[in-house]
Amino acid sequence: MFLELIATFVAGIAGAGIMMLLNRITGNRLPRWLVPVAAGAAMLTMTISSEYAWYGRTTQNMPDRLEVIETVESRAAYRPWTYVVPYINRFIALDRAGVQANAEQPQMRLADLLFYGRWKPTTAVQIMVDCDRNARADPGESGLETQNLRWREVGADDPFVASICKEG
C-alpha cells in the first residue's frame, strides 16, 4: 500500500513535469492551470491502473497448487468507469494440494479455500463437500465438527463443489 502511494506521487510529479516541459517547448503559451490538471490526471491514471492490475499481479504470484474458483467484480458510483469495465477486487482460490478425501466415505472431501481481497489480509477457511449429493458444509462458529454441520444442497454447477469434486 505504501509503495502504491509513493508511485502515485511520482506519477503526479511526472505528469506535472511533462506539462511544464510542453509549456516550455511551446514558448509558455499554455495556460498555467494545466500543470496541476496534468498532475491530477497522472495520479488518477496511476491509481486506476493499479486497481485493475491487482488481480493479475496477485494470481500470477500464487503457487501452482492454487486454483481460482470464484471472482467478485466491483462497480461503484464514485468510480463511474467501473460500470463500463468492472474490476476484480476479491477472489477465492482452492488449495488443490490440500484436498483430502475421507477414507471411509470417498465422496466426502475436505478442502482449504483462500479468500483474497484488495486491501484485506488473506483468510483461509476449510470447507467440506459431499460429491454424491452435490452439497457443501460451510464452516460455522464451531468449525467443521461433524455433529454440527449444516449441509446445503447447491447443485453440481456450484463452483466450490465442481472444483473440489473434479479431483480424482
Side-chain angles (χ1 to χ4, degrees):
M1 184 168 149
F2 181 71
L3 293 177
E4 287 187 23
L5 180 65
I6 297 298
T8 302
F9 287 142
V10 169
I13 292 168
I18 289 170
M19 188 53 67
M20 289 168 65
L21 181 65
L22 284 174
N23 192 22
R24 187 162 216 156
I25 289 171
T26 61
N28 293 328
R29 292 185 186 155
L30 297 176
R32 290 175 31 173
W33 56 265
L34 282 179
V35 173
V37 167
M43 293 171 78
L44 187 60
T45 302
M46 172 61 200
T47 303
I48 292 170
S49 69
S50 178
E51 290 289 320
Y52 278 94
W54 171 79
Y55 174 71
R57 280 192 321 262
T58 305
T59 56
Q60 189 175 23
N61 292 327
M62 289 188 333
D64 290 338
R65 70 177 196 274
L66 296 181
E67 174 189 343
V68 176
I69 56 175
E70 191 170 74
T71 59
V72 178
E73 292 182 339
S74 177
R75 291 181 175 90
Y78 58 90
R79 294 177 176 146
W81 54 89
T82 60
Y83 288 103
V84 177
V85 181
Y87 74 98
I88 297 171
N89 69 340
R90 293 182 289 156
F91 67 93
I92 302 171
L94 168 67
D95 184 359
R96 270 261 161 247
V99 176
Q100 303 169 14
N102 189 324
E104 297 162 6
Q105 299 174 325
Q107 82 280 7
M108 302 286 279
R109 306 243 169 86
L110 184 66
D112 293 323
L113 298 178
L114 298 167
F115 290 77
Y116 287 84
R118 179 91 167 128
W119 307 118
K120 292 185 172 67
T122 303
T123 306
V125 172
Q126 283 190 323
I127 185 173
M128 190 174 289
V129 172
D130 185 340
C131 295
D132 287 349
R133 290 184 11 210
N134 293 321
R136 72 177 195 220
D138 297 329
E141 292 177 11
S142 61
L144 283 173
E145 298 174 13
T146 51
Q147 67 270 19
N148 297 327
L149 290 179
R150 290 187 185 170
W151 289 94
R152 292 191 312 149
E153 304 287 331
V154 292
D157 58 341
D158 180 70
F160 303 118
V161 172
S163 294
I164 294 169
C165 291
K166 79 176 178 184
E167 253 323 276

